[in-house]
Amino acid sequence: MNEKALRVLEYTKIIDRLSGLAGSALGRDKCKNLMPLVNLHEIERMQKETSDALARIYAKGTLSFSGIPDVRGSLKRLEIGATLGAGELLKISSVLTATLRAKNYGYNQKNSGETQEAAQDSLTEMFQLLEPLSPINTEIMRCIISEEEIADDASAGLKKVRKSIKNTNDKIHEQLGSIMNAAAAKGQLQDAIITMRNGRYCVPVKQEYKNTFQGMMHDQSSTGSTVFIEPIAIVKLNNELAELAVKEQEEIEKILAELSSMVGVERENIEYDLRTLAELDFIFARAQLSKQMKASEPKFNDRHYINIRKGRHPLIDSHKVVPIDIYLGSEFDLLVITGPNTGGKTVSLKTVGLFTLMGQSGLHIPAFDGSELSVFSEVYADIGDEQSIEQSLSTFSSHMTNTVSILEKADENSLVLFDELGAGTDPTEGAALAMSILSYLHERKIRTMATTHYSELKIFALSTPGVSNACCEFSVETLRPTYRLLIGIPGKSNAFAISQKLGLNAQIIECAKGFIQTKDESFEDVISNLEANRIAMEKDKEEITKYKAEVEQLKKRLTEKNTKIDAAKDRILREANEQARHILQEAKDYADETIRKYNKWASTSGVNKEMENERAALRERLGETNSKLTVQKKKNKKNVASDFKIGDTVHVISLNLKGTVSTLPNAKGDMYVQMGILRSLINMSDLELVDEETIVAPNLTKTQSGKIRMSKSSTISPELNIIGKRVDEALPMVDKYLDDAYLSHLTKVTIIHGRGTGALKDAVHAHLKRTKYVKSFRLGNFGEGDHGVTIVEFK
């Protein structure tokens, strides 16, 4: 990319922000040297790395790369077999420590139960190939305390030498203590202190006693009043101490040589670690910048199509910047932006250019997800006033010099940005030049954006296919730009309206309008009408959006309400079913008990009174149950005695059972109703007639009632299966079935009881003998079920 475009589009400021986020010197160098790429695959790779690093930051927090020194020089020395100093080894230890930290960060601890392959991204391999070399790092930290100090335990030899040094020092201090006590008593010492001169222990002796104090003089004070003498008694110990110091240094050199040898063996791994850490620092700096800018990864294409959704210029205060939507390269390849000064035209140009440079550098852009950018080999920008007094260039000349250079170099793979094209000269000639330049670029299919104030360029954009107008919205009421970019609408200068708002005399404004040609005035009127229509449409759109939101809210509330109703319905049904099951179970138990009593009474005689008492008790119990019902029964119409005939099917309301009228009502309205095996006295007010389908059959003769009721014949089965039932369970079923079959006018039925022990068959036959309306019964023949069934014929 050309240097001018990087500068005028302020790409360098983005790089400065990026460099400040790197933690190491090597990472900062990579950030400072970042330039836009032109290879689509490389761009997509860098974008993916930035996105993956950002995802890791959100998931685990940031990774620190501080304290990573540049040890390339030390590694080069190791390559030629040199021994490193303590400071250099500590720097290598810092690199290995940072490597271990990065390795641990790269390990997916949150999903330790899953396979690592399930959480891989573009950075996984980089983290996996890091070699912390923990044994070497541990050995360096064990042996070297600081750049000036080696640990006593670094080697056995060093520990032994330092122990000897300590013992020798103790002996020297012990002897010096005795010597100083004696000398002090004689008044020979200047101060009662022990000092070092030239690496040897000395005592400060007064000048007048230097010849009487036995020892070697090493130094004297600046005034000459004090001489520093090494007592003769400790000369040998000082010599031993000097020899031990030499041995100590030799041991330290051995330790450093051994450590250097260990590091030298792993030199290539350390070089890889250093390069990888610098690259990761560079990648995570890009991710941190994306997080700061609330940016997203753009999609890239090679069709030279740009579609920025809610883009925010990254160098404008995030609280003040107005997002813009801008697209280029699909329906049109040339965009002409018009509008008042300070309205945001130049910012729109810079946003497109800067986003292109950032995206091609692997940086995210501050725009909504789904924004698209294209790969351009060059971005050319002529933005700003670059007049030069030294070069005798006016504003127009400087712009035209840049324009000439751009036209010479630009091709179909270039993005060209012009700010105020053709300005700085006669408006008529400037507009003509601008249209000619834009036509030249348009014919060559070069993606171009240009800002202007010329009305001729607005007409050019309206009348030329593949060229579109755009404007930066301006509010005449507030005299402030809204900074919204509107594509497809030419801008209006609003000079007269602004001047009137600012207080310019109305007469002057009217006079100025008179100087405008009719066609120009008409064009401005068209633009004004377009603007008014756009504002009205936007208001309508806002209202529609508001209504849609209200409808969605109402729909949501209705859905929630229906869900609650369904849940309540299910709950009520469950409770009702449970209550019904309980009631049915209770009724069954009571009926079973009653049937057992009836069977017991049936085997004896003279028990009518007990049976009537039991029936009364049953009616009372059913009445109590009916009184507990929460749902009120609808009011029945008043029945009269003439409504009922023997054999009519009725519904007993209190018992919720169907039955057949056995007797006509008496004076009180009471009548006997047969309900299966239960025959009870019911008042006709508790009955309602059931409308039955009247069927007239040719082979049936009419009864006294004149009609044949066939209600049950459509549902009653010609056979009853009681296999597996006990006698006390089967007989009530047989009795009810025979009643229903007889009332349904069936002439013959089959009762299936099986062979078994014969007890069930005998009980059924005994019951059939006692049933009055049974004409005859017999065991089944071959093909009818043999002795496992009984064939019953009715009278």
Side-chain angles (χ1 to χ4, degrees):
M1 292 290 172
N2 63 89
E3 183 65 29
K4 178 178 172 60
L6 300 178
R7 177 171 48 83
V8 299
L9 294 174
E10 300 177 293
Y11 174 79
T12 52
K13 293 183 179 179
I14 298 296
I15 294 301
D16 290 340
R17 287 180 60 178
L18 177 65
S19 301
L21 296 172
S24 65
L26 293 176
R28 282 189 290 274
D29 289 342
K30 280 185 168 289
C31 293
K32 291 177 181 177
N33 296 325
L34 177 61
M35 294 293 287
L37 304 174
V38 294
N39 184 285
L40 179 60
H41 295 296
E42 286 294 312
I43 293 170
E44 290 176 340
R45 177 186 63 80
M46 292 185 67
Q47 288 287 348
K48 183 67 166 59
E49 290 174 347
T50 305
S51 297
D52 291 340
L54 182 62
R56 287 177 180 261
I57 288 174
Y58 281 125
K60 303 181 182 181
T62 187
L63 173 60
S64 174
F65 291 94
S66 60
I68 302 177
D70 185 359
V71 296
R72 288 176 294 182
S74 300
L75 295 176
K76 193 68 178 176
R77 291 183 60 211
L78 285 174
E79 188 177 357
I80 60 176
T83 299
L84 301 183
E88 293 176 296
L89 289 168
L90 284 177
K91 288 182 179 179
I92 289 177
S93 174
S94 297
V95 172
L96 297 179
T97 300
T99 302
L100 179 62
R101 184 168 63 243
K103 183 89 171 180
N104 292 335
Y105 179 89
Y107 179 66
N108 192 7
Q109 292 179 340
K110 285 191 176 182
N111 299 321
S112 57
E114 303 176 5
T115 60
Q116 287 298 301
E117 288 74 16
Q120 283 190 349
D121 56 27
S122 61
L123 306 180
T124 301
E125 186 176 359
M126 299 176 95
F127 282 111
Q128 288 178 346
L129 294 179
L130 286 172
E131 290 292 344
L133 302 176
S134 296
I136 294 178
N137 189 22
T138 302
E139 186 66 13
I140 292 174
M141 291 190 291
R142 184 186 71 84
C143 295
I144 304 175
I145 297 175
S146 67
E147 292 187 17
E148 294 81 21
E149 185 178 1
I150 305 296
D152 293 346
D153 294 333
S155 71
L158 181 61
K159 185 174 184 180
K160 181 178 179 182
V161 170
R162 285 188 172 172
K163 185 175 181 181
S164 299
I165 290 173
K166 183 179 181 300
N167 293 334
T168 304
N169 276 323
D170 292 342
K171 290 179 182 179
I172 291 174
H173 281 82
E174 183 180 352
Q175 290 207 19
L176 282 176
S178 300
I179 293 170
M180 290 180 68
N181 288 336
K186 298 177 181 178
Q188 295 176 329
L189 299 181
Q190 190 77 1
D191 293 301
I193 60 172
I194 299 172
T195 184
M196 294 284 291
R197 288 294 184 272
N198 301 322
R200 303 179 75 86
Y201 286 102
C202 300
V203 294
V205 179
K206 295 179 180 178
Q207 173 66 27
E208 56 269 28
Y209 294 107
K210 70 177 182 179
N211 294 325
T212 59
F213 192 89
Q214 293 184 350
M216 297 173 60
M217 188 178 75
H218 288 278
D219 197 6
Q220 67 177 7
S221 65
S222 57
T223 60
S225 60
T226 304
V227 294
F228 298 94
I229 298 175
E230 178 186 358
I232 194 69
I234 66 166
V235 170
K236 183 179 179 181
L237 291 174
N238 270 335
N239 290 338
E240 291 178 2
L241 194 61
E243 291 175 0
L244 289 172
V246 172
K247 289 182 179 179
E248 179 187 26
Q249 189 59 37
E250 290 175 352
E251 289 294 331
I252 290 174
E253 290 177 358
K254 286 181 182 179
I255 294 168
L256 295 178
E258 290 177 2
L259 292 175
S260 298
S261 177
M262 293 173 62
V263 173
V265 172
E266 301 291 346
R267 179 181 57 80
E268 292 183 357
N269 284 331
I270 297 173
E271 285 180 349
Y272 174 81
D273 289 345
L274 189 63
R275 288 195 306 270
T276 303
L277 288 174
E279 185 67 23
L280 286 172
D281 189 12
F282 175 43
I283 293 170
F284 275 81
R286 303 201 307 259
Q288 288 277 31
L289 182 64
S290 174
K291 183 180 178 183
Q292 282 187 4
M293 297 189 303
K294 298 179 181 178
S296 65
E297 178 184 352
K299 298 178 182 177
F300 268 88
N301 62 76
D302 53 6
R303 308 187 313 274
H304 299 155
Y305 172 61
I306 296 174
N307 182 19
I308 297 172
R309 302 174 60 229
K310 302 299 179 187
R312 296 164 278 112
H313 196 287
L315 298 178
I316 300 177
D317 187 348
S318 60
H319 297 97
K320 298 179 181 179
V321 64
V322 177
I324 62 170
D325 294 318
I326 189 165
Y327 50 92
L328 176 70
S330 177
E331 300 173 0
F332 52 86
D333 54 38
L334 174 58
L335 187 63
V336 178
I337 305 175
T338 53
N341 289 327
T342 69
K345 301 190 302 297
T346 304
V347 171
S348 300
L349 279 185
K350 287 187 172 182
T351 299
V352 174
L354 183 56
F355 277 18
T356 299
L357 297 176
M358 290 174 62
Q360 291 184 212
S361 300
L363 301 176
H364 287 179
I365 60 173
F368 276 12
D369 286 338
S371 296
E372 283 193 61
L373 296 176
S374 184
V375 180
F376 293 100
S377 59
E378 276 289 356
V379 176
Y380 297 104
D382 179 36
I383 299 174
D385 187 1
E386 297 190 9
Q387 62 178 332
S388 172
I389 297 176
E390 293 179 357
Q391 299 179 9
S392 300
L393 292 176
S394 64
T395 299
F396 176 76
S397 298
S398 64
H399 279 296
M400 189 52 60
T401 300
N402 294 333
T403 302
V404 170
S405 175
I406 291 171
L407 295 178
E408 289 176 351
K409 299 175 182 177
D411 57 21
E412 64 275 7
N413 294 319
S414 302
L415 175 64
V416 179
L417 308 172
F418 288 118
D419 187 26
E420 301 294 348
L421 180 61
T425 187
D426 178 74
T428 304
E429 294 181 356
L433 275 173
M435 285 191 290
S436 178
I437 291 168
L438 293 179
S439 296
Y440 174 78
L441 294 170
H442 179 51
E443 290 172 359
R444 297 175 63 190
K445 302 296 182 182
I446 298 175
R447 303 299 186 261
T448 307
M449 290 178 61
T451 66
T452 184
H453 285 287
Y454 294 143
S455 297
E456 292 85 349
L457 289 183
K458 303 175 189 177
I459 299 173
F460 167 75
L462 286 172
S463 59
T464 306
V467 183
S468 179
N469 271 302
C471 70
C472 291
E473 191 179 45
F474 187 87
S475 173
V476 179
E477 287 75 14
T478 61
L479 298 181
R480 292 177 180 271
T482 64
Y483 301 106
R484 293 176 58 202
L485 184 68
L486 308 173
I487 294 179
I489 301 174
K492 192 172 184 295
S493 65
N494 297 304
F496 294 155
I498 294 172
S499 300
Q500 187 174 4
K501 282 281 185 179
L502 293 175
L504 186 64
N505 190 292
Q507 185 177 356
I508 296 175
I509 293 175
E510 289 299 323
C511 182
K513 290 181 178 179
F515 290 119
I516 296 180
Q517 296 181 7
T518 305
K519 63 178 183 180
D520 294 332
E521 186 175 3
S522 299
F523 180 71
E524 291 296 323
D525 290 340
V526 169
I527 294 177
S528 298
N529 292 334
L530 284 173
E531 182 70 8
N533 291 336
R534 181 191 64 79
I535 294 173
M537 289 176 64
E538 287 196 352
K539 287 182 178 178
D540 292 341
K541 185 178 179 181
E542 289 178 0
E543 290 183 1
I544 291 171
T545 304
K546 181 180 177 182
Y547 291 149
K548 285 179 68 177
E550 291 178 357
V551 169
E552 287 296 327
Q553 187 68 22
L554 291 173
K555 182 180 177 182
K556 183 180 179 182
R557 290 178 183 174
L558 182 60
T559 303
E560 292 176 353
K561 184 178 180 181
N562 289 339
T563 302
K564 291 179 180 178
I565 291 174
D566 291 341
K569 179 181 176 182
D570 292 341
R571 178 179 55 80
I572 292 170
L573 286 175
R574 284 197 306 272
E575 292 176 355
N577 289 332
E578 183 64 25
Q579 291 176 2
R581 187 193 65 78
H582 179 72
I583 292 171
L584 289 173
Q585 184 64 40
E586 186 178 355
K588 181 180 180 298
D589 295 341
Y590 195 84
D592 290 344
E593 180 64 25
T594 303
I595 289 169
R596 281 194 290 271
K597 290 179 180 178
Y598 281 1
N599 290 334
K600 179 180 178 181
W601 293 330
S603 61
T604 60
S605 58
V607 292
N608 289 335
K609 184 176 181 180
E610 288 82 352
M611 293 178 69
E612 286 302 323
N613 291 338
E614 187 66 23
R615 286 175 180 172
L618 178 60
R619 283 197 297 272
E620 182 180 356
R621 186 181 180 94
L622 291 172
E624 292 175 359
T625 304
N626 186 55
S627 65
K628 296 178 182 178
L629 294 176
T630 57
V631 179
Q632 297 296 324
K633 296 179 285 293
K634 66 179 181 180
K635 188 174 181 180
N636 300 309
K637 69 175 183 178
K638 189 172 181 180
N639 295 321
V640 295
S642 59
D643 291 339
F644 298 97
K645 298 180 179 62
I646 296 175
D648 286 350
T649 301
V650 294
H651 177 249
V652 183
I653 299 173
S654 60
L655 300 180
N656 195 25
L657 294 174
K658 279 187 179 182
T660 305
V661 175
S662 299
T663 63
L664 293 175
N666 58 21
K668 295 181 180 179
D670 296 331
M671 65 180 75
Y672 282 98
V673 177
Q674 186 73 36
M675 297 166 285
I677 64 170
L678 181 66
R679 186 171 184 270
S680 181
L681 187 66
I682 307 293
N683 190 277
M684 63 182 181
S685 62
D686 194 25
L687 301 175
E688 47 179 30
L689 286 167
V690 177
D691 293 332
E692 300 286 348
E693 182 180 1
T694 303
I695 300 175
V696 179
N699 60 338
L700 295 175
T701 58
K702 292 185 179 180
T703 62
Q704 186 180 2
S705 61
K707 289 184 181 180
I708 300 173
R709 302 289 182 178
M710 300 296 292
S711 62
K712 291 186 177 295
S713 63
S714 60
T715 58
I716 195 71
S717 172
E719 62 182 28
L720 173 67
N721 190 339
I722 56 173
I723 294 176
K725 303 291 185 181
R726 298 193 305 271
V727 172
D728 60 345
E729 292 177 332
L731 289 181
M733 294 175 61
V734 171
D735 188 61
K736 183 178 184 306
Y737 173 71
L738 293 173
D739 287 345
D740 291 342
Y742 180 67
L743 293 174
S744 299
H745 303 288
L746 295 180
T747 58
K748 182 173 67 175
V749 295
T750 302
I751 299 174
I752 304 171
H753 44 67
R755 297 174 183 272
T757 61
L760 189 58
K761 179 189 70 174
D762 296 339
V764 169
H765 287 182
H767 182 75
L768 292 173
K769 289 177 182 178
R770 295 194 297 270
T771 305
K772 296 179 180 180
Y773 50 81
V774 173
K775 180 179 180 181
S776 64
F777 61 89
R778 61 178 174 81
L779 292 174
N781 297 323
F782 179 77
E784 293 179 326
D786 293 336
H787 290 189
V789 301
T790 296
I791 309 299
V792 182
E793 292 184 5
F794 296 114
K795 292 180 179 179

